[in-house]
């Protein structure tokens, strides 16, 4: 159910010690220190140590909303699609009310781009 924005080879590299279809194993392996795993809105993060780019707070770097590509440590979860679609709607509503050109507007725009990128990646993976 997990998808890497860099394809199956990268996903296999990340998940070589547990089944990609079992998030519970990932959480248990993370607790034992065998793998780095943090749950994010998009799915999960496998970066060892602290993420200085947001991770749990923002999807901009996870999903490449900043136009520099997605994070190589991110895994997107097919089961998160409904939440990501809800986020898309929230971001659209907030963007329509935000003052154009403001830092808030730009932040929302980057979040929206990242969310769209993540959903596009998940859709492409679901379609084979």
């Amino acid at each position: 159910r997990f998808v890497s924005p860099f394809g199956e080879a990268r996903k296999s590299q990340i998940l070589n010690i547990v089944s990609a279809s079992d998030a519970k194993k990932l959480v248990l392996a993370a607790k034992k220190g065998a793998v780095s795993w943090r749950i994010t809105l998009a799915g999960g993060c496998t970066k060892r140590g602290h993420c200085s780019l947001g991770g749990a707070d923002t999807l901009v770097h996870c999903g490449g909303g900043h136009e520099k590509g997605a994070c190589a440590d991110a895994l997107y979860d097919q089961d998160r699609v409904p939440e990501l679609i809800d986020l898309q709607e929230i971001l659209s509503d907030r963007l329509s009310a935000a003052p154009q050109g403001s830092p808030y507007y730009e932040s929302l725009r980057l979040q929206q781009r990242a969310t769209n990128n993540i959903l596009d990646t998940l859709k492409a993976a679901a379609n084979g």
Side-chain angles (χ1 to χ4, degrees):
R1 81 181 208 209
F2 291 98
V3 176
S4 169
F6 294 92
E8 284 298 312
R10 178 66 181 144
K11 181 175 95 171
S12 294
Q13 269 183 324
I14 292 170
L15 297 175
N16 65 0
I17 65 162
V18 294
S19 167
S21 64
D22 193 347
K24 289 180 183 178
K25 285 184 181 178
L26 281 172
V27 171
L28 290 173
K31 286 180 182 177
K32 293 177 183 176
V35 66
S36 180
W37 180 253
R38 285 182 296 280
I39 295 172
T40 66
L41 182 58
C45 176
T46 63
K47 180 175 176 58
R48 291 213 179 268
H50 173 73
C51 176
S52 63
L53 302 174
D57 299 330
T58 175
L59 295 176
V60 171
H61 295 279
C62 299
H66 58 330
E67 297 183 340
K68 295 181 182 176
C71 177
D73 296 314
L75 285 178
Y76 306 151
D77 186 347
Q78 296 281 5
D79 288 352
R80 298 284 176 136
V81 169
E83 288 94 343
L84 291 166
I85 290 171
D86 288 346
L87 178 60
Q88 260 185 333
E89 293 172 10
I90 291 166
L91 291 169
S92 290
D93 288 346
R94 291 185 181 172
L95 267 168
S96 66
Q100 282 195 349
S102 70
Y104 179 59
Y105 181 88
E106 291 306 312
S107 173
L108 291 170
R109 191 178 60 76
L110 295 176
Q111 285 275 20
Q112 186 179 51
R113 183 181 304 137
T115 304
N116 291 340
N117 291 346
I118 293 165
L119 285 167
D120 288 348
T121 299
L122 289 168
K123 183 178 178 182
N127 292 332

